């Protein structure tokens, strides 16, 4: 055993493919606050992104795959660099974020470039 972390679909609550199909963004299990970027071919976890304070509910890659937006249950969205896992921005919205998406014209603009669908449990 190499000790490297591998991803399994078992218990997975969220899986989103990157535009090129090579990477899966995932939240491993219900209640998880971390996002993982996984190699779609091997299942090897490439990056762990830590920073959410509540359950991750949704995620979406930017059109060119360079960024990942993730929404969470305590009222916000985080924008990550998908190659390094660095947190680029936190956007507080005041309600659970159930869906995030990127528009083709918004790739370079992380402040106004993400659309949100919010709600409450």
């Amino acid at each position: 055993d190499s000790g490297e972390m591998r991803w399994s679909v078992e218990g997975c609550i969220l899986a989103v493919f990157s535009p090129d199909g090579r990477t899966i963004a995932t939240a491993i299990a219900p209640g998880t606050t971390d996002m993982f970027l996984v190699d779609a071919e091997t299942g090897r976890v490439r990056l762990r992104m830590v920073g959410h304070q509540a359950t991750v509910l949704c995620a979406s890659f930017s059109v060119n795959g360079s960024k990942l937006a993730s929404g969470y249950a305590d009222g916000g969205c985080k924008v990550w660099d998908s190659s390094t896992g660095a947190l680029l921005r936190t956007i507080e919205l005041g309600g659970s974020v159930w869906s995030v998406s990127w528009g083709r014209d918004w790739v370079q603009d992380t402040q106004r470039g993400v659309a949100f669908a919010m709600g409450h449990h």
Side-chain angles (χ1 to χ4, degrees), residues 44-84:
R44 185 180 67 80
V45 174
R46 278 195 313 110
L47 292 170
R48 180 179 186 175
M49 295 172 293
V50 178
H52 288 292
Q53 301 302 311
T55 303
V56 178
L57 300 173
C58 58
S60 178
F61 282 95
S62 62
V63 175
N64 67 6
S66 67
K67 295 180 180 63
L68 177 74
S70 55
Y72 49 100
D74 66 348
C77 175
K78 294 194 182 289
V79 179
W80 310 86
D81 181 308
S82 63
S83 63
T84 66

Side-chain angles (χ1 to χ4, degrees), residues 1-6:
D1 181 23
S2 66
E4 69 183 25
M5 187 173 176
R6 295 224 177 240

Side-chain angles (χ1 to χ4, degrees), residues 34-119:
D34 297 344
M35 289 289 305
F36 297 86
L37 293 184
V38 177
D39 182 291
E41 187 174 326
T42 66
R44 185 180 67 80
V45 174
R46 278 195 313 110
L47 292 170
R48 180 179 186 175
M49 295 172 293
V50 178
H52 288 292
Q53 301 302 311
T55 303
V56 178
L57 300 173
C58 58
S60 178
F61 282 95
S62 62
V63 175
N64 67 6
S66 67
K67 295 180 180 63
L68 177 74
S70 55
Y72 49 100
D74 66 348
C77 175
K78 294 194 182 289
V79 179
W80 310 86
D81 181 308
S82 63
S83 63
T84 66
L87 178 62
L88 302 175
R89 181 173 177 82
T90 298
I91 304 165
E92 297 299 335
L93 298 166
S96 295
V97 178
W98 293 96
S99 177
V100 293
S101 65
W102 296 81
R104 189 163 295 283
D105 296 334
W106 303 335
V107 174
Q108 301 302 320
D109 185 354
T110 59
Q111 183 173 359
R112 293 172 296 168
V114 183
F116 309 95
M118 294 173 42

